[in-house]
Amino acid sequence: MKKIDTKIIRFLAKSIKNWIKENRSSKNPLIRLGIGGLYLVLITLNNIKFFFKDKEFRTIFYMKLFKSKRLQQTTPLTYMNRYPIIFSACADYFKEKEDIKILSYGCSTGEEVLTLRKYFPKATIVGAEINKHSLETCRKLPVDDKITFIYSTPSEIQKHGNFDIVFCMAVLQRTPHQITEQGITSLKKIYPFEKFEHQIIELDEYVKPGGLLVVHFTQYSFIDTVVSPKYKALGDYNQDDYKSSVFDKNSNLIKNPTSQKSIFIKQQA
């Protein structure tokens, strides 16, 4: 059934493309209006085609539709040892306490968790992920018995907490490269600051006093959130190499952003 459906979709998409190509120079306003409408049809057909063919696309579509309140970044891109300076700094902070508990929030397909094992050989590590397709990949990884992958919900995370370190790396953002390339100046309707702050408030609940909250590669500043007074920055570790646009607490573009710290120590109550 899927093969038949995708063949029909490809045929329709090709026919529309050819018609648009033949008529895009037309001076007839009705034809030009029709071209605009057909572009929308073409986009819809492409999305339907991807829905049938790409499991990752279907998973993201489902999350946008049914899990939008908890959904942050929609792109599962990751790789091994992505942030060595940040990881090394955190390992050095806990060099006198090896047997710690770590949360990798938004662990994607697990490369971050595998990397953290190299920096924290004796730690208990929990990888939390909302993308079920990515989580399936995580659970096939050859890991030791002190690594666990869970579906990311507050209740499930709380079963394993609290944590000495919570890593939230390149999670609290929305299609940053696309936002930057398109020159978008407000995230209010796409990824508002309130959504970011709400997630930071949740992450704060998982961090032990004296522990670390690491918020790195994000479109907003941790300092702008209501929980930031509970924390102080560790050193000068920052996201100055973040090449995408950043925004203020009104969700407006910051044209000349200042350096944004990434590692924060939770103060004792």
Side-chain angles (χ1 to χ4, degrees):
M1 180 66 181
K2 289 183 179 179
K3 290 183 179 179
I4 295 172
D5 287 339
T6 53
K7 283 182 179 179
I8 293 172
I9 290 167
R10 284 198 300 269
F11 172 78
L12 289 173
K14 186 177 180 180
S15 299
I16 291 171
K17 283 180 181 178
N18 289 337
W19 189 88
I20 290 174
K21 186 176 180 180
E22 292 170 2
N23 294 277
R24 62 187 174 187
S25 299
S26 174
K27 295 181 180 180
N28 188 318
L30 292 177
I31 291 178
R32 295 187 68 81
L33 181 63
I35 288 174
L38 286 174
Y39 268 122
L40 294 176
V41 173
L42 192 59
I43 292 169
T44 302
L45 288 173
N46 280 331
N47 285 339
I48 293 171
K49 180 180 70 174
F50 283 124
F51 187 87
F52 278 116
K53 295 181 66 175
D54 191 327
K55 187 175 182 180
E56 182 64 47
F57 182 90
R58 291 197 300 275
T59 301
I60 293 172
F61 179 85
Y62 171 83
M63 290 192 299
K64 286 180 177 180
L65 195 60
F66 298 107
K67 303 292 181 180
S68 60
K69 287 186 177 181
R70 290 194 58 75
L71 183 62
Q72 306 290 331
Q73 171 68 295
T74 56
T75 305
L77 172 67
T78 188
Y79 50 86
M80 292 292 292
N81 205 21
R82 191 175 180 184
Y83 309 104
I85 294 174
I86 299 292
F87 296 146
S88 294
C90 294
D92 188 61
Y93 179 81
F94 279 107
K95 62 184 178 183
E96 304 299 330
K97 184 183 177 183
E98 295 182 335
D99 190 14
I100 62 174
K101 189 180 292 184
I102 297 172
L103 172 64
S104 171
Y105 186 84
C107 66
S108 188
T109 47
E111 285 83 351
E112 180 172 297
V113 169
L114 296 180
T115 297
L116 290 172
R117 170 53 76 228
K118 296 180 183 297
Y119 286 90
F120 301 92
K122 297 183 180 181
T124 297
I125 306 175
V126 176
E129 178 54 51
I130 194 173
N131 184 321
K132 290 187 176 181
H133 182 246
S134 295
L135 191 58
E136 286 178 13
T137 302
C138 289
R139 287 174 170 165
K140 294 175 184 177
L141 296 173
V143 297
D144 58 71
D145 59 4
K146 294 185 75 175
I147 290 177
T148 306
F149 292 104
I150 62 173
Y151 184 63
S152 185
T153 64
S155 60
E156 189 63 30
I157 293 171
Q158 286 164 357
K159 291 178 184 177
H160 300 269
N162 287 352
F163 297 89
D164 296 285
I165 312 177
V166 173
F167 287 101
C168 188
M169 317 293 280
V171 175
L172 303 184
Q173 54 182 351
R174 183 65 59 86
T175 58
H177 300 299
Q178 180 180 331
I179 296 294
T180 304
E181 289 170 2
Q182 293 180 359
I184 291 173
T185 58
S186 175
L187 286 187
K188 197 69 178 176
K189 294 182 179 180
I190 302 169
Y191 182 60
F193 174 80
E194 292 78 12
K195 186 178 181 71
F196 166 82
E197 184 175 52
H198 179 78
Q199 188 59 66
I200 291 292
I201 292 170
E202 179 187 318
L203 295 178
D204 167 59
E205 295 174 356
Y206 306 142
V207 184
K208 295 178 181 178
L212 300 179
L213 175 55
V214 187
V215 182
H216 191 59
F217 272 31
T218 171
Q219 288 163 312
Y220 291 110
S221 173
F222 172 82
I223 298 300
D224 286 337
T225 67
V226 295
V227 302
S228 66
K230 297 182 182 181
Y231 292 81
K232 69 174 183 179
L234 174 66
D236 191 36
Y237 302 100
N238 56 61
Q239 64 169 46
D240 287 356
D241 55 340
Y242 186 68
K243 303 303 181 185
S244 299
S245 300
V246 294
F247 298 78
D248 62 23
K249 60 184 178 181
N250 295 313
S251 305
N252 295 322
L253 176 69
I254 301 174
K255 292 184 178 179
N256 297 299
T258 57
S259 184
Q260 187 167 304
K261 301 296 179 60
S262 297
I263 309 176
F264 300 92
I265 307 168
K266 188 171 186 176
Q267 302 302 287
Q268 300 290 338

